[in-house]
Amino acid sequence: NHSHAVGDQVLCDLADMLEEAAGDSGIAARMGGEEFLMVFQGSGAVIAFEELRRRVETYDWSSVASNLSLTISIGATRLRPGRITQAALLGEADRHLYAAKTGGRNRVVLDPD
């Protein structure tokens, strides 16, 4: 519905939000397309992801394009015994992302406690 320029600006604004959410102890990176990766230390990730989801949903995107609204779906996982390789962590986070998207979007899905 919008131009490539609008999409590029959305990605730039979203990247800024992700970087801010990651803070000094986290990492935010673009995986490709419209998929991003974030790495956190400590127990604050769950709260940060939910705050990020709400921030994107309520952000005033009108400076980018009129009547533009945006939501994000987040799949997250934790470092656990037996799941310590990069491939295992990315695979589990990707499964959770798929569940967030198929579950209605605009949600955070992560490992059960």
Side-chain angles (χ1 to χ4, degrees):
N1 295 337
H2 299 282
S3 68
H4 288 287
V6 168
D8 289 345
Q9 188 59 53
V10 165
L11 290 174
C12 287
D13 289 357
L14 183 58
D16 289 343
M17 289 181 203
L18 294 172
E19 193 172 273
E20 185 178 312
D24 293 335
S25 64
I27 299 169
R30 185 173 178 195
M31 293 285 291
E34 57 188 34
E35 291 191 351
F36 292 83
L37 167 72
M38 295 183 75
V39 177
F40 285 94
Q41 286 185 319
S43 60
V46 175
I47 293 168
F49 287 142
E50 188 57 38
E51 288 175 356
L52 176 62
R53 186 201 61 76
R54 280 194 304 272
R55 181 173 179 205
V56 170
E57 180 182 32
T58 60
Y59 187 77
D60 180 7
W61 295 98
S62 63
S63 65
V64 178
S66 62
N67 298 319
L68 178 64
S69 63
L70 186 72
T71 62
I72 60 172
S73 300
I74 299 172
T77 192
R78 294 182 177 101
L79 186 63
R80 293 178 184 231
R83 192 187 313 146
I84 58 173
T85 67
Q86 181 181 14
L89 290 166
L90 288 174
E92 190 64 18
D94 194 51
R95 282 187 282 283
H96 291 317
L97 175 59
Y98 181 77
K101 288 179 176 181
T102 59
R105 299 184 178 265
N106 193 28
R107 62 190 64 225
V108 177
V109 174
L110 60 145
D111 300 322
D113 286 326

